[in-house]
Amino acid sequence: MNRQYLLRRRPQGLVTRDDFEYREAPMPEPGPGEALVENLLLSFDPSQRIWISELPGYMPPVGLGEVMRSDGIGRVIASNDPKLPVGSLVQGLVGWQDYCVTKKGTPFGFFRMPDHLPFPPEVMLSALGMTGITAYFGMREIGAPKPGETVVVSAASGAVGSVAGQIAKIEGARVIGLAGSDDKCAWLTNELGFDVAINYRADDWKKQLRAACPKGIDVDFENAGGPIMHTVFSLLNLHARVALCGLISSYNSTGDRSGSMAELSAFIVKRIRLEGFLVLDYAKRFGEAAQQLGAWVAAGKLKHKETIVDGLEQAPDTLNRLFEGEKLGKLLLRVRS
Ligand SMILES: NC(=O)c1ccc[n+]([C@@H]2O[C@H](COP(=O)([O-])OP(=O)(O)OC[C@H]3O[C@@H](n4cnc5c(N)ncnc54)[C@H](OP(=O)(O)O)[C@@H]3O)[C@@H](O)[C@H]2O)c1
C-alpha cells in the first residue's frame, strides 16, 4: 500500500487538511528503466505553497488530483535502472507519499547520492541542499557584502536565511536578522553569531531596525516582502544591493498583492541594484557551492539546524509551520528511518 496526499482544491490562505485527499493506493511498480523508491525524508519549502496556488512560478502548478509535489530523499528498493541500484539513495521530487517511481520526465530527474554521504541525509536537504545553495549564491553573487558593510536578512531563522546570514558573517559583514519570535532571535545571536536579531512581531521593530543600522543598509537579503521589505528599502544606502530571494509574506494572501512601490524611486536616486534570482540559475555551479558549504560546516564555521517532524500523516499540517508556528532552520518530515 502507498499512502498518498493528493491536492483536492486550491487552498485559500493557510492550507487545511481538506485541501488534500488522503489515499491508500496500491504499491507502484517500476517500468523499464525506472526504480521504485521508498521515501525517507521530505523537504518542506515555501515554494510548495506557490505550487498549489495559481501564482506564476518556475514550475507549473500541482494539478488537482495529483500527488502533492515535494523534494525529498528516498532509498531504491527495486530497480530496472542500472544507474540506480537497490540500496542507493536518491534525491528528487518524491512527493507526499510512501513510495515513488523514478518516472522519466519528472522535472529535474532523480539524482543518485554518494554511497558514503559526508553528512547525514537531513543536512543534504538543508545547509548542503537547495536552501543552503540558494543562500550561497544569493549572498555571494548578488548581495556580495564587503567587510564592515551592514547586511539585513529577513526570515532569518529559516533554512535559507540562517545560512545566508552566516555567510555574510564569514565575509566580514555586520549582520542583522529579522525573525518572528524572541526565541528565534536568541538562536540567531547566541548560536549563529548574528550581530543583532529583531523580532518583527514586536510593536517597535521598525525603531529597533533603524537603531541597529546607524550607517544604513548595504545588502538586503530579501525573503519576506511586505512591510519588512518596505522598511528595509527605506534604509538602503547608495549602491546597496538587494538579493530578492522570496516574498513569503504574500504566499498565503488571497487579496490584492500589489503594495506601495514608492520606495523604488530611491532605487534610481541611490543607484541600488535589485536582482531577483532562482537557485536553478546556478545549476552548473552547485558542486562548487556544496563543496564550500561542506567545508564551512566541517570547520564549524557554518551551523545548521533541522526541525524534523515524524510521520507522513503530518504532512498537510507541517506545511503551515513554514508560515506560522515554531521551527528553526530547515523544516523536514521523516517518512521512515
Ligand atoms: N529564489 C530561490 O531560488 C529560492 C529558493 C529557496 C527558497 N526561496 C525563498 O526563500 C525564502 C525562505 O525560504 P526557506 O526555504 O528558507 O523557508 P524557511 O525560511 O525555512 O521557512 C519560512 C520562514 O519564513 C518566515 N516567515 C513566514 N511568514 C513570514 C512573514 N509574513 N513575514 C516574514 N517572515 C515570515 C518564518 O519564520 P518567522 O516568521 O517566525 O520568522 C520561517 O522561518 C522564501 O521566501 C522562499 O520562497 C527562494
Side-chain angles (χ1 to χ4, degrees):
M1 172 183 98
N2 188 17
R3 296 175 302 156
Q4 300 179 313
Y5 285 93
L6 288 66
L7 183 63
R8 174 183 282 149
R9 63 183 184 200
R10 307 235 169 259
Q12 299 294 312
L14 291 168
V15 303
T16 66
R17 284 199 159 253
D18 288 342
D19 295 327
F20 300 94
E21 179 192 339
Y22 172 75
R23 182 170 77 176
E24 296 178 355
M27 186 82 147
E29 298 219 357
E34 295 176 344
L36 176 64
V37 173
E38 60 174 12
N39 292 345
L40 303 178
L41 278 173
L42 302 181
S43 173
F44 277 75
D45 299 279
S47 56
Q48 289 173 287
R49 182 63 188 82
I50 297 178
W51 292 339
I52 54 178
S53 73
E54 273 155 1
L55 285 174
Y58 61 93
M59 289 182 77
V62 177
L64 299 184
E66 286 178 10
V67 174
M68 177 58 191
R69 188 186 295 150
S70 163
D71 189 17
I73 289 178
R75 186 185 297 112
V76 175
I77 55 170
S79 183
N80 299 320
D81 179 352
K83 291 199 244 49
L84 297 178
V86 170
S88 56
L89 289 180
V90 295
Q91 185 180 349
L93 292 175
V94 299
W96 285 6
Q97 54 188 343
D98 280 313
Y99 302 95
C100 73
V101 164
T102 59
K103 289 212 175 303
K104 302 289 171 225
T106 305
F108 313 118
F110 291 86
F111 296 94
R112 182 176 174 184
M113 303 180 78
D115 285 339
H116 301 288
L117 287 177
F119 299 98
E122 52 269 27
V123 187
M124 308 306 285
L125 286 176
S126 66
L128 299 189
M130 278 307 142
T131 44
I133 291 174
T134 301
Y136 179 89
F137 286 114
M139 187 56 82
R140 295 193 97 192
E141 299 288 324
I142 301 172
K146 298 179 200 69
E149 285 192 329
T150 300
V151 174
V152 171
V153 179
S154 50
S157 72
V160 175
S162 58
V163 175
Q166 291 183 84
I167 292 174
K169 283 304 299 174
I170 290 170
E171 303 287 352
R174 189 165 168 276
V175 181
I176 291 115
L178 288 155
S181 75
D182 290 344
D183 285 347
K184 290 179 179 184
C185 289
W187 180 64
L188 292 173
T189 50
N190 298 343
E191 301 287 328
L192 302 192
F194 281 53
D195 296 283
V196 180
I198 297 165
N199 180 349
Y200 71 85
R201 294 184 206 275
D203 290 340
D204 65 343
W205 71 270
K206 292 183 185 174
K207 195 172 151 205
Q208 289 187 52
L209 182 64
R210 279 191 292 273
C213 305
K215 295 184 191 164
I217 295 170
D218 301 296
V219 175
D220 171 21
F221 193 101
E222 187 57 56
N223 287 319
I228 291 178
M229 181 177 77
H230 290 293
T231 306
V232 171
F233 278 6
S234 70
L235 296 170
L236 291 175
N237 288 333
L238 189 69
H239 297 306
R241 285 83 66 201
V242 178
L244 187 55
C245 180
L247 298 167
I248 194 166
S249 66
S250 66
Y251 295 173
N252 284 303
S253 80
T254 48
D256 181 8
R257 286 191 170 84
S258 59
S260 157
M261 278 288 131
E263 299 86 347
L264 287 185
S265 60
F267 279 64
I268 303 165
V269 178
K270 295 185 184 173
R271 284 79 116 197
I272 292 162
R273 179 174 157 211
L274 180 148
E275 187 172 333
F277 71 100
L278 277 178
V279 64
L280 301 172
D281 302 340
Y282 297 93
K284 290 196 176 129
R285 293 174 58 198
F286 282 178
E288 164 202 324
Q291 203 168 18
Q292 179 61 81
L293 291 162
W296 282 333
V297 171
K301 288 185 177 174
L302 178 65
K303 296 192 176 142
H304 58 89
K305 175 95 185 156
E306 295 78 37
T307 298
I308 303 182
V309 177
D310 275 303
L312 181 66
E313 63 285 358
Q314 303 297 335
D317 302 324
T318 302
L319 191 59
N320 285 337
R321 285 179 74 170
L322 293 166
F323 303 97
E324 57 171 34
E326 283 312 300
K327 73 136 188 92
L328 286 177
K330 176 76 196 173
L331 184 60
L332 299 171
L333 184 146
R334 196 188 323 271
V335 182
R336 60 171 64 74
S337 300

